[in-house]
Amino acid sequence: MIALGHHPTFSVLFPFSQSQLHGHCSSRKLLAPRKDQLYKSVSKPRLMMALASNEEGSIRIGERLYLGMDFGTSGARYALIDKQGTIHSEGKREYPVLMNDEKMDWVRSWRAALFSLLEDIPIHLRPLVASISIDGTSATTLIVDSNTGEPLWRPFLYNESCPDALPTVKSVAPANHTVCSGSSTLCKLVSWWNIEGSNKKSALLLHQADWLLWLLHGKLGVSDYNNALKVGYDPASGSYPSWLRSQPYSQLLPSVIAPGTSIGNLKEEIRTQFGFQEDCIVCAGTTDSIAAFPCSTCNTTWKSCHFFGLNSCY
């Protein structure tokens, strides 16, 4: 079971400028940054919500807790729950405004928010955490070095469109496939592939949640089948389809496992730094909307489920 228990998504788009866009990709409905944000650098994200945690001793002896983190459009949050779904601690952070050449450095900002959330977890609860998982915005894509995990290109955000790649994708994918949209992960991969010339052999595609989880477990190249849908993965067959595997850029595709599957133990240096137990595991993540849906009360056909920034109807 995935270690996610409370997943409100974020609706307010974090503003950034059109000058950040590269190649032929574009971003939709994004606000221009205010002048006071352009050169602002924040070393530590500001805590946005008071932590609500049980007093030490109120948890039964031997009870374990489960940590879920949600990375949305404007910030990140965490919830620490037990097997009954009781929240023992929760909090959230805005993404710090970290600039690089007058552009928002999303990678540094996400990394800072992740470790700030870990610091926000009450010290007496950290040894009780049995597993950790993360959800991220769907189709937020990173191209990283397959040896170091460091990004080779700035991230493609979830709402960016790459119309230059769409004809190529439509020429190989079945009609009306999920990837046949300019904002799909596959279009972002193809757009990068057509621009980049030197780093293709050492490149790897990861989604936002994949990369953040890698910072915790250290095993590169692992994704989940919810995040991988928009790059063309077929969860019904449990594999990438043949039309995708035959493309030269398929070498960048990550391996895919079920959301919530254990990937490995938390890295030793992180356990030592924050005080987690040696047996704490890191599990495959999912997308923000999928994580939010199980936490709703939707349990009948055609009941509408509304979240900030999205609307899912079942």
Side-chain angles (χ1 to χ4, degrees):
M1 180 177 180
I2 195 165
L4 299 173
H6 184 59
H7 307 283
T9 54
F10 294 83
S11 61
V12 181
L13 294 177
F14 200 95
F16 66 94
S17 68
Q18 291 292 327
S19 64
Q20 289 178 257
L21 305 178
H22 59 79
H24 301 282
C25 297
S26 61
S27 183
R28 297 169 292 162
K29 298 181 180 178
L30 294 175
L31 302 175
R34 298 192 306 269
K35 290 182 179 180
D36 62 343
Q37 290 178 319
L38 285 176
Y39 300 99
K40 183 180 180 183
S41 177
V42 181
S43 59
K44 290 186 178 180
R46 182 164 56 96
L47 186 62
M48 293 299 296
M49 184 168 65
L51 300 176
S53 62
N54 287 3
E55 294 181 0
E56 190 169 4
S58 63
I59 299 174
R60 293 189 296 272
I61 295 176
E63 185 172 16
R64 301 303 296 271
L65 301 178
Y66 306 90
L67 174 61
M69 288 180 277
D70 167 53
F71 278 71
T73 57
S74 62
R77 68 175 68 206
Y78 83 87
L80 191 59
I81 66 170
D82 58 27
K83 285 186 176 180
Q84 289 70 45
T86 301
I87 298 175
H88 291 267
S89 178
E90 60 182 337
K92 73 176 182 180
R93 293 269 183 162
E94 281 186 334
Y95 293 138
V97 182
L98 302 176
M99 310 303 291
N100 183 12
D101 293 331
E102 301 184 21
K103 301 174 184 178
M104 180 67 175
D105 191 334
W106 289 104
V107 170
R108 287 175 57 212
S109 183
W110 294 334
R111 192 197 313 247
L114 170 64
F115 288 102
S116 292
L117 288 180
L118 293 178
E119 289 178 354
D120 292 340
I121 299 169
I123 294 176
H124 71 279
L125 296 180
R126 296 177 194 175
L128 304 180
V129 176
S131 62
I132 301 172
S133 194
I134 296 174
D135 73 73
T137 49
S138 176
T140 294
T141 308
L142 293 90
I143 307 296
V144 304
D145 186 290
S146 59
N147 297 309
T148 67
E150 291 303 312
L152 298 173
W153 205 265
R154 74 146 189 88
F156 293 85
L157 300 185
Y158 72 99
N159 60 346
E160 289 185 39
S161 181
C162 298
D164 62 298
L166 194 53
T168 300
V169 171
K170 285 186 174 181
S171 71
V172 297
N176 301 316
H177 194 281
T178 304
V179 299
C180 295
S181 166
S183 61
S184 72
T185 308
L186 186 57
C187 276
K188 292 165 184 173
L189 170 58
V190 171
S191 182
W192 176 86
W193 181 266
N194 291 337
I195 295 170
E196 182 57 38
S198 60
N199 293 319
K200 291 179 179 178
K201 290 184 179 180
S202 62
L204 173 69
L205 181 145
L206 292 177
H207 306 90
Q208 180 189 34
D210 306 336
W211 186 78
L212 289 166
L213 287 165
W214 165 73
L215 293 175
L216 301 181
H217 59 66
K219 297 181 179 180
L220 266 176
V222 183
S223 186
D224 66 273
Y225 61 61
N226 287 333
N227 269 295
L229 284 175
K230 292 184 180 180
V231 78
Y233 185 80
D234 181 5
S237 65
S239 64
Y240 291 107
S242 58
W243 60 262
L244 180 55
R245 295 197 307 271
S246 64
Q247 305 307 313
Y249 43 79
S250 65
Q251 67 188 46
L252 276 73
L253 298 175
S255 61
V256 178
I257 59 178
T261 303
S262 173
I263 299 174
N265 290 85
L266 194 61
K267 291 196 296 186
E268 182 179 359
E269 59 265 32
I270 296 177
R271 295 199 311 266
T272 302
Q273 179 181 353
F274 294 100
F276 293 101
Q277 293 284 4
E278 187 175 349
D279 63 351
C280 180
I281 62 172
V282 180
C283 300
T286 185
T287 63
D288 51 357
S289 58
I290 297 297
F293 185 77
C295 301
S296 72
T297 58
C298 275
N299 53 15
T300 58
T301 303
W302 298 114
K303 189 172 183 179
S304 180
C305 181
H306 296 269
F307 306 108
F308 291 110
L310 55 96
N311 179 7
S312 302
C313 296
Y314 288 81

